[in-house]
Structure formats: structure tokens, C-alpha cells
Amino acid sequence: MTTKPSHTDDAQPSAMTATYALRRRLPDNVLGHALFSLGMVARVPYFGTVLPIVEEMRPGYCKVSAPKWFGVYNHIGTFHAIAACNLAEAAMGMLMEASLPPSHRWLPKAMSTQYLAKATTRLTAEATLTEPIDVEAISTGTDVVVSVRILDTHGTEVVHADITTWVTPRAGDDSR
């Protein structure tokens, strides 16, 4: 079990959100993942319904897993579609926290979801940016799309979501 910090970029703590700075301070192992994930759920309680574990978090990428347990079952015994959306949003949110400086904020604006196959196992959401964020060019606000692949334990993509976020400078107007 490794105890090195989970960061892979060279950003200084003053150039990252408090959420991402916390993640980087924790060890990159099962204990660090669990502690960070518990903190995330304490801050955003609804994420707790899928029992998420943030396994990897860096600018432009986040990986979050969730077990298949009775709390996420639907009427046919598979991972509920909306629970999968909750997992996708958790991965997107942590990606945005790692990808933006503290001078900017984000809000979810829209989600386009495709249900591709029955989700019969635990799931892993992998969120990626469709293109890099040019924060210097954001003066009033812009849409940023995060692509989220949700995979079962066999590597099959069972759900795909494209989540549009509205990114603004903190001093600016965040209205849509």
C-alpha cells in the first residue's frame, strides 16, 4: 500500500480549490480514498446514496466507484439509472474541483444520458474533459462539457453521460 500523495500535477496549493488541496494531502491508498470520499459525502449528502469512493482525481480526470447494494437496486435488480446519474455527477464534480482554480466556480447546467446496457455489477465512473478549460478566457461565463463513462466490472460501458457545467469567475455573475 502506497502512502504518496495522490497528485500528478505541479500546481501549488494556492492555485487549487480547497477540495482538491485536501485530496492531494491525503495518501493515495484505500484509507486516503475512503477519508476523502466520506468528506465529499458530508459536504454533498445526496452522493452518499451510491456509497461513492473517489479512486483518482486530477485536473481533467476523475474516477469514482460505487458498489451494487440494495439501496441502488431498481425493480429488476440492476443498478438504478438515476443512481448511475448520481455517480456520474459525483465524478464530474470532483473533476471540476480538480480542474479549476479557486478564482472560478462551476454549476451543473445539463446532463445528456444514454443507458447502454443493464448494470448488473458495481460501477466505476470515469469523468474526462472533452477539451481543456481556458480559465483566462472566461470573463463572464462559459459552458464546459464533462464526458462520463460508467463501466461495469467487465469493462463494459453501461451508461454514458455528457454533463454541461456553467463556469464563471467567482467575482462574476453566475446566472445562466
Side-chain angles (χ1 to χ4, degrees), residues 15-18 20 59-60 94-107 129 133-135 138 144 165-168 170:
M16 63 183 78
T17 64
Y20 187 46
M94 294 304 99
L95 173 143
M96 291 303 287
E97 287 294 309
S99 300
L100 288 174
S103 59
H104 287 70
R105 62 180 160 199
W106 59 272
L107 291 168
L129 288 173
I133 302 171
D134 182 3
V135 293
I138 301 172
V144 172
T165 62
W166 180 243
V167 177
T168 62
R170 284 204 182 267

Side-chain angles (χ1 to χ4, degrees), residues 53-152:
I53 296 292
V54 180
E55 296 179 7
E56 193 171 341
M57 179 180 171
R58 64 177 185 268
Y61 180 80
C62 186
K63 180 178 176 181
V64 181
S65 65
K68 184 177 175 225
W69 68 288
F70 73 89
V72 297
Y73 287 1
N74 60 19
H75 65 289
I76 59 172
T78 61
F79 212 103
H80 193 283
I82 298 306
C85 288
N86 190 6
L87 179 63
E89 189 170 353
M92 172 280 300
M94 294 304 99
L95 173 143
M96 291 303 287
E97 287 294 309
S99 300
L100 288 174
S103 59
H104 287 70
R105 62 180 160 199
W106 59 272
L107 291 168
K109 185 176 177 181
M111 180 187 291
S112 172
T113 310
Q114 297 173 350
Y115 304 103
L116 306 171
K118 286 182 183 177
T120 60
T121 69
R122 70 188 314 272
L123 298 180
T124 299
E126 294 183 343
T128 56
L129 288 173
T130 55
E131 58 186 55
I133 302 171
D134 182 3
V135 293
E136 298 298 322
I138 301 172
S139 59
T140 57
T142 193
D143 286 343
V144 172
V145 177
V146 177
S147 177
V148 185
R149 295 177 57 214
I150 300 180
L151 310 170
D152 66 12

